[in-house]
Amino acid sequence: DIIEAVDDRDVENIYELFYYISAQLHELPPLRISREGRKVEITWPEEPKNAATFFDGIDFKVSNMVAAVYPDSYAEKIGILPGDVITAIDGSNTATYEEVASSLKQSVADTITVSWTRDGQKHEGSFTPAVIGISPKGAHWLRKLGFTDACRVGCLKAWDFTMEVYSIITKALSGQSGIAKVVGGPVTIARASYQVAAQRSPTQFMLFLAIISINLGIVNLLPIPILDGGHLAVFTLEKLKGSPLSLKTQVAVQYVGLALILALFLFITYQDILRIFQ
């Protein structure tokens, strides 16, 4: 299937698809797809919890259509334009960008022949092995947003991250195996912070900090004594009860909460250390 549009919004790449689903999560219009030459409209049997869950279990193939051609590249010199479809490399048919990249890497000839189509017409050119200079359909791209749109997208992303944390907590409470492999503590956070700060841009580092803050905020609101969520739970109980808890009960609750936090901290730190030596 080729996902072509979300209602009347044309989808050019996977990032636009993710954005459109996030933006209309609670009033999702139908997906318009192409299947074996036929146009098909698919309605949603139920709304996904967040945009990320829609992509679970789907393996996307990157199109062999060219999204951009770099200036002064060999692709430009042999006449490739954005929108062209790369159909073959040295006579080997290519249906996806992965096949284009693989064929280029495997070629050992002095020159490489590239075949492509444009508006139904076939074209061909050759070049000496080098960086071909094309960007696949669906490659990473950036879009500048105004203040209002940036706030809206930021809130949507924060909600998606929140739902991811909620999903992990739910799976952990239900006893699902493998959860320990996807959670990290102070050691993992420190290592990841160093890697992101050293290898990524300041903007990506700020996004990483935001994700950590969301995680800590959600954990802090869990109804565990000592945490803020535990205090809220006690205040709610006292409100329903009509009187404060006894000092003895409050102390016992605090000790239980402290024991739970220490046990969780030790377990996660142990998993962090194991992860270092794996």
Side-chain angles (χ1 to χ4, degrees):
D1 290 348
I2 300 175
I3 300 177
E4 297 184 336
V6 179
D7 198 17
D8 59 347
R9 295 185 175 188
D10 291 339
V11 174
E12 293 292 334
N13 52 60
I14 192 173
Y15 304 102
E16 286 190 352
L17 178 61
F18 190 95
Y19 173 77
Y20 291 153
I21 293 176
S22 296
Q24 305 179 75
L25 190 59
H26 300 296
E27 296 181 3
L28 280 171
L31 294 179
R32 303 185 187 279
I33 69 171
S34 173
R35 176 181 297 164
E36 298 178 349
R38 296 181 295 110
K39 303 295 183 181
V40 181
E41 183 176 287
I42 297 180
T43 56
W44 300 79
E46 61 181 36
E47 295 176 354
K49 294 181 180 178
N50 53 65
T53 58
F54 171 72
F55 294 89
D56 289 347
I58 300 178
D59 181 19
F60 286 92
K61 291 183 178 180
V62 182
S63 168
N64 57 342
M65 179 182 290
V66 178
V69 179
Y70 302 135
D72 300 322
S73 65
Y74 280 92
E76 183 183 64
K77 291 176 181 178
I78 64 176
I80 295 177
L81 297 176
D84 291 351
V85 177
I86 308 298
T87 57
I89 301 292
D90 281 341
S92 298
N93 293 334
T94 54
T96 66
Y97 187 78
E98 288 82 359
E99 291 180 358
V100 173
S102 176
S103 297
L104 289 172
K105 289 179 181 178
Q106 293 175 5
S107 178
V108 294
D110 293 334
T111 59
I112 296 178
T113 301
V114 182
S115 302
W116 67 92
T117 60
R118 180 187 305 152
D119 298 328
Q121 295 184 348
K122 296 182 179 180
H123 299 267
E124 189 173 280
S126 60
F127 67 100
T128 302
V131 177
I132 189 172
I134 62 175
S135 175
K137 197 75 171 178
H140 182 68
W141 52 276
L142 298 176
R143 175 187 294 176
K144 289 186 178 180
L145 300 175
F147 178 78
T148 303
D149 284 339
C151 291
R152 180 170 57 84
V153 173
C155 290
L156 289 172
K157 295 298 292 183
W159 178 254
D160 279 343
F161 288 129
T162 300
M163 289 297 98
E164 287 298 315
V165 177
Y166 172 77
S167 176
I168 290 174
I169 293 175
T170 302
K171 291 176 181 178
L173 293 176
S174 64
Q176 183 170 329
S177 61
I179 296 300
K181 297 180 180 179
V182 298
V183 297
V187 177
T188 296
I189 292 175
R191 293 182 65 200
S193 299
Y194 171 76
Q195 292 172 351
V196 174
Q199 302 174 10
R200 304 294 179 86
S201 67
T203 302
Q204 291 173 316
F205 182 61
M206 291 180 68
L207 175 61
F208 173 78
L209 294 180
I211 295 172
I212 296 298
S213 297
I214 291 172
N215 277 262
L216 294 177
I218 295 172
V219 171
N220 189 47
L221 289 176
L222 293 176
I224 298 176
I226 294 183
L227 301 180
D228 288 343
H231 291 311
L232 290 174
V234 171
F235 294 155
T236 302
L237 181 61
E238 290 179 338
K239 182 67 175 178
L240 296 174
K241 183 172 176 285
S243 61
L245 298 177
S246 66
L247 181 61
K248 184 177 181 180
T249 302
Q250 292 184 40
V251 171
V253 167
Q254 295 296 323
Y255 277 131
V256 170
L258 180 61
L260 288 173
I261 293 296
L262 285 175
L264 182 62
F265 175 81
L266 292 174
F267 173 74
I268 292 179
T269 303
Y270 173 70
Q271 294 296 327
D272 285 348
I273 295 172
L274 284 182
R275 206 173 282 124
I276 293 175
F277 296 101
Q278 286 179 349

